[in-house]
Amino acid sequence: MIKITLPDGSVREFEKGTTSMQVALSISEGLARNVLAAKVNNEVVDANKAITEDSRLSLLTWNDDEGKNTLWHSSAHLLAEALEALYPEVKFWVGPPLENGFYYDVDLNGQTLSPADFEKIEAKMLELARQNNEFKRTDISKADAIKYFTDKGDSYKLDLLERLEDGNISLYTQGNFTDLCRGPHIPNTGFIKAAKVLSIAGAYWKGDEKNKMLTRIYGITFPKDKELKEYLVLLEEAKKRDHRKLGKEMELFTFSEKVGMGLPLWLPKGAMLRERLIQFLQKAQLKAGYLPVATPHIALKDLYVCSGHYEKYGADSFQPIKTPHEGEEFFLKPMNCPHHCEIYKSSPKSYKDLPVRYAEFGTVYRYEQKGELHGLTRVRGFTQDDAHLFVRPDQVKEEFLKVIDLVLYVFNALGFKDYTAQVSLRDPDNKTKYIGSDENWALAEQAIIDSAAEKGLKTVVETGEAAFYGPKLDFMVKDAIGRKWQLGTIQVDYNLPERFELEYTGSDNLKHRPVMIHRAPFGSLERFIAVLIEHCGGNFPLWLSPDQFAILPISEKYNDYAKKVSELLNISDIRGLVDDRNEKIGKKIRDNEVNKIPFMLVVGEKEEADGTVAVREHGKGDIGTMTIEGFSKLVQSTIDNDFKTKQI
RNA sequence: GCUGUUGUAGCUCAGUGGUAGAGCACCUCCUUGGUAAGGAGGAGGUCGGCGGUUCAAUCCCGCUCAACAGCUCCA
């Protein structure tokens, strides 16, 4: 008998050689129907693998990421089986699971696939799935594996085999398809109830452009048909929220071939949104003791040689700007920090001055590769909400806590409710590749971990992911439709203080080196606004909305009154427009509704006589008539409500 | 940078080897209308750029530029 410990801590006894599936059956049949794989002592294995010793066991279902991965990995095999049935010439490379679905890289031997063929493949996959074919594992010697794939003519698999050790090679077979695979897999194909081929794309064999281009077929599957439908709705929704599409429709920003790719042009409405975000953060930063600074867009090469950016990015960056003066070279600034270091150095600092917090909305330029550019999320010129805190080593934690507060304040005000802190620490087995003293690293890492814990942040620790210059904390944000984005970042830096020989005089009257903390709650305004647009689908919080109202006169007779109302609201710092077009009210309502204007104020004979406005809220319709002051209060209370979160 | 797809009016898109069309937006006029599209007329394009084939190219071919998707997830 062996002892199996379940996740709830309970221990049960089973015969040696029992499978996870049998354990599941002993608990309930319903559970067994949902078991996709099992985790035995932290190793994910087939649910029908025999357990031979005392073990901890978790049964993995669709609700576990590992369960999903297993189903999708098996689905890749199912896709391969379907492809082989439909196109006998096909040769296979690899088919891993992804975060959302899976792909298989195949050589179609000259055949081409088009979206028109997708349905045929999906139908075949489901037909094969319904056969409930078991995923059978066969452990095999290397020689036999080579023989099998040589006979089959699968040259790509032979290439994989070359790098595998004998004695550690397995095949999985379902139905008529056998693949080289370490597993694990779901018990049988019947668990796959819905399948969708999503797209095809070229992908070089082994990711090397010198190699042959294979066809990568992306797909996704689900254990329930309903979930596929929900997923497709989500894809549609994501398409509707695409910030590139909404940005164009809402006249927020544009790109011009003449200006250059990756260089966004902010249109008046988008610039208004930007300004509001900047003012919002500036106000919060002033309260938190930041000092605004401003620095130019270019600097001499020497600055970046000193900071190390020249060595690291010089060749891949924009080329230097020459001057008539022989040998003089300027660079577009790729980061604000070197400038801020020089500001720090402009006067001697005492330990009593620290922490010093320099903040700047600094526009930086980076030569991103062509293929990397994407809307506002990857651009070549962007504005960081940058600040650098120069602190004593013993102040790292306190400052970290304050920065976390500021970041959470920002997320709250913008409606991001779901976020995770990702803490990146150094690799303990390879401490030499990092700059800075051992005890300072230990201090900072502990400070970050403690700060995150103190603030009650959901935290994921990534060991070995720290930059060479310091540990960091990144905020991963989930948007309204469940997609993850990396936004704010807080990074400790031991490198730049060293390179710039930054100092402060301590209470001991000796020179000490400060620690630098880089932090940006938005990251960059461009990227942040892109995420914000997709998060709220263009329906910005009222305080950010470029036009907060549109006044719609019933006829031209009331245009003057409309303008008067608009001016009055402007005085209360509420901004909007007067729709004085020669159109009927229905048309005006439709157009402004489509334009996502938060409030529409209909004015006609009655309103002019009473000094009122008839208010319509976006997405809700008529909410009644009120005085201008009443509307002004409504706006104010709506905005206050957006901020009704903890203040810093 | 590499591969593929795309590029026609401000926007969304149709179309053809004989130099172009729709809807929306825009302008003018009629209409002055009370909660999601009133009517009529008009203006607007070197069909991304360069070159080639052809009597003739927006359409075919080559190059180029840009946008989009993918190129990292190694059984």
Side-chain angles (χ1 to χ4, degrees):
Chain A
M1 295 301 269
I2 52 170
K3 289 195 179 81
I4 302 284
T5 310
L6 295 168
D8 64 2
S10 65
V11 180
R12 298 185 184 207
E13 291 215 346
F14 291 90
E15 299 226 355
K16 187 171 173 180
T18 297
T19 68
S20 310
M21 188 52 91
Q22 285 163 339
V23 174
L25 267 169
S26 79
I27 296 170
S28 90
E29 227 174 279
L31 175 63
R33 268 200 302 275
N34 289 313
V35 169
L36 299 171
K39 201 178 192 176
V40 178
N41 295 332
N42 281 333
E43 195 193 347
V44 182
V45 298
D46 293 338
N48 57 21
K49 184 182 179 183
I51 304 173
T52 53
E53 55 188 21
D54 291 355
S55 302
R56 276 172 293 118
L57 170 69
S58 315
L59 297 163
L60 301 173
T61 69
W62 181 246
N63 294 324
D64 304 291
D65 284 345
E66 287 126 327
K68 281 196 175 86
N69 270 336
T70 306
L71 184 99
W72 283 333
H73 185 185
S74 302
S75 299
H77 283 228
L78 182 66
L79 169 65
E81 185 183 4
L83 288 170
E84 196 170 57
L86 294 166
Y87 312 95
E89 297 290 283
V90 69
K91 287 188 209 166
F92 300 97
W93 171 230
V94 296
L98 303 170
E99 200 172 321
N100 281 303
F102 57 88
Y103 70 76
Y104 216 117
D105 275 350
V106 299
D107 182 347
L108 289 165
N109 215 351
Q111 283 252 13
T112 52
L113 279 183
S114 74
D117 302 312
F118 291 0
E119 267 181 55
K120 206 167 60 182
I121 298 170
E122 288 157 13
K124 193 70 181 178
M125 284 174 75
L126 290 177
E127 179 196 322
L128 294 166
R130 277 192 296 269
Q131 294 173 2
N132 295 332
N133 292 321
E134 189 192 339
F135 279 88
K136 271 188 295 235
R137 181 187 173 104
T138 317
D139 290 290
I140 186 172
S141 72
K142 186 162 179 172
D144 286 351
I146 290 173
K147 180 170 187 317
Y148 177 83
F149 286 104
T150 306
D151 291 350
K152 198 182 167 196
D154 244 335
S155 49
Y156 299 103
K157 293 292 176 190
L158 289 171
D159 186 89
L160 278 174
L161 271 168
E162 265 176 40
R163 281 166 296 153
L164 296 179
E165 257 178 61
D166 201 3
N168 198 15
I169 293 173
S170 56
L171 302 181
Y172 273 83
T173 303
Q174 95 271 13
N176 294 316
F177 180 76
T178 297
D179 203 354
L180 178 66
C181 186
R182 81 179 138 210
H185 281 285
I186 56 177
N188 68 65
T189 57
F191 285 79
I192 301 165
K193 300 283 195 224
K196 184 88 190 160
V197 177
L198 294 169
S199 63
I200 48 174
Y204 299 104
W205 183 42
K206 298 188 192 176
D208 186 337
E209 68 194 46
K210 289 192 226 50
N211 285 340
K212 185 172 181 181
M213 167 108 18
L214 303 178
T215 305
R216 176 166 297 180
I217 304 173
Y218 286 90
I220 193 162
T221 51
F222 294 91
K224 281 182 191 153
D225 199 41
K226 184 169 145 253
E227 287 173 8
L228 171 61
K229 291 206 174 82
E230 282 167 4
Y231 180 74
L232 294 177
V233 168
L234 187 77
L235 284 188
E236 278 303 304
E237 186 59 32
K239 233 188 239 174
K240 270 191 238 159
R241 287 165 179 255
D242 189 318
H243 75 278
R244 294 167 299 183
K245 176 171 142 35
L246 285 174
K248 193 183 263 182
E249 281 171 12
M250 299 178 74
E251 299 175 343
L252 299 174
F253 58 87
T254 188
F255 289 91
S256 151
E257 288 188 22
K258 262 207 182 98
V259 172
M261 53 177 145
L263 299 169
L265 302 176
W266 290 94
L267 303 173
K269 288 179 200 292
M272 175 60 85
L273 177 66
R274 245 175 91 100
E275 285 299 314
R276 284 173 191 254
L277 276 174
I278 290 174
Q279 281 166 19
F280 158 71
L281 187 55
Q282 245 162 8
K283 212 170 132 190
Q285 287 182 167
L286 282 175
K287 257 196 233 171
Y290 287 71
L291 308 169
V293 294
T295 63
H297 289 224
I298 63 170
L300 284 169
K301 177 178 166 183
D302 281 359
L303 180 72
Y304 303 115
V305 170
C306 178
S307 70
H309 292 122
Y310 179 77
E311 193 190 347
K312 216 162 166 25
Y313 303 107
D316 305 323
S317 196
F318 285 112
Q319 291 308 295
I321 302 162
K322 309 266 190 206
T323 70
H325 189 83
E326 181 66 27
E328 190 174 50
E329 287 182 351
F330 287 91
F331 279 79
L332 283 167
K333 78 169 162 188
M335 293 198 177
N336 301 300
C337 19
H339 297 72
H340 291 185
C341 286
E342 284 302 304
I343 290 178
Y344 180 89
K345 280 186 91 168
S346 68
S347 69
K349 299 285 186 291
S350 145
Y351 72 98
K352 296 176 195 166
D353 297 325
L354 270 41
V356 172
R357 311 179 187 90
Y358 294 140
E360 174 179 17
F361 288 84
T363 306
V364 297
Y365 301 89
R366 296 179 190 172
Y367 188 78
E368 301 288 356
Q369 280 205 50
K370 268 184 177 178
E372 298 293 333
L373 299 174
H374 181 91
L376 286 182
T377 57
R378 274 307 269 284
V379 288
R380 286 179 168 174
F382 55 97
T383 302
Q384 295 178 309
D385 55 329
D386 213 354
H388 297 99
L389 321 185
F390 300 86
V391 307
R392 302 193 305 261
D394 64 288
Q395 292 172 319
V396 170
K397 184 181 170 193
E398 192 188 340
E399 283 306 302
F400 234 89
L401 287 169
K402 284 188 189 165
V403 176
I404 291 174
D405 276 338
L406 185 67
V407 173
L408 297 188
Y409 173 68
V410 168
F411 287 177
N412 257 324
L414 291 157
F416 292 108
K417 306 278 183 233
D418 193 344
Y419 39 77
T420 311
Q422 187 178 307
V423 175
S424 300
L425 306 179
R426 66 183 162 165
D427 179 355
D429 301 329
N430 192 3
K431 287 187 179 177
T432 49
K433 69 174 183 180
Y434 301 100
I435 190 162
S437 75
D438 203 37
E439 72 252 39
N440 274 349
W441 267 86
L443 198 65
E445 290 190 341
Q446 201 52 51
I448 295 176
I449 292 167
D450 291 349
S451 311
E454 236 167 86
K455 291 294 166 189
L457 298 176
K458 260 191 282 172
T459 306
V460 182
V461 174
E462 303 274 359
T463 307
E465 286 299 304
F468 75 93
Y469 54 79
K472 63 175 179 176
L473 189 163
D474 293 315
F475 285 88
M476 308 294 297
V477 175
K478 240 189 205 173
D479 75 9
I481 57 173
R483 295 169 305 173
K484 283 186 203 153
W485 305 84
Q486 196 224 298
L487 287 179
T489 179
I490 318 176
Q491 307 188 5
V492 177
D493 186 345
Y494 297 111
N495 180 44
L496 286 181
E498 201 69 45
R499 284 179 164 268
F500 280 89
E501 301 182 318
L502 304 183
E503 293 177 336
Y504 65 89
T505 307
S507 56
D508 53 6
N509 200 28
L510 294 173
K511 301 293 184 197
H512 297 271
R513 190 127 291 165
V515 180
M516 205 171 157
I517 300 175
H518 309 247
R519 47 102 281 180
F522 295 152
S524 89
L525 281 168
E526 283 71 14
R527 188 181 152 77
F528 189 82
I529 291 175
V531 174
L532 183 61
I533 290 170
E534 307 213 354
H535 176 58
C536 66
N539 296 307
F540 299 109
L542 185 58
W543 65 276
L544 270 180
S545 208
D547 285 309
Q548 296 168 314
F549 64 81
I551 305 184
L552 318 184
I554 293 290
S555 83
E556 286 173 1
K557 279 185 259 175
Y558 312 106
N559 282 355
D560 286 343
Y561 176 64
K563 280 175 195 149
K564 206 178 92 190
V565 174
S566 171
E567 280 162 23
L568 282 171
L569 290 170
N570 269 326
I571 292 168
S572 317
D573 215 21
I574 303 170
R575 288 192 45 93
L577 53 92
V578 175
D579 188 350
D580 59 2
R581 293 175 303 162
N582 180 7
E583 295 291 351
K584 291 172 109 168
I585 195 66
K587 169 77 166 162
K588 291 185 186 182
I589 286 170
R590 182 189 148 76
D591 288 351
N592 286 288
E593 193 73 38
V594 168
N595 286 337
K596 306 181 194 294
I597 306 290
F599 289 107
M600 280 174 261
L601 311 177
V602 178
V603 296
E605 193 178 354
K606 274 198 304 253
E607 289 76 13
E608 179 166 20
D610 304 343
T612 56
V613 290
V615 183
R616 248 191 97 94
E617 193 173 343
H618 173 68
K620 288 198 182 134
D622 197 346
I623 59 169
T625 299
M626 56 189 85
T627 60
I628 298 164
E629 208 197 327
F631 173 68
S632 176
K633 278 190 184 139
L634 171 65
V635 169
Q636 205 49 57
S637 69
T638 308
I639 290 174
D640 288 347
N641 204 35
D642 286 340
F643 282 90
K644 200 180 61 188
T645 48
K646 59 185 161 192
Q647 295 285 319
I648 51 169

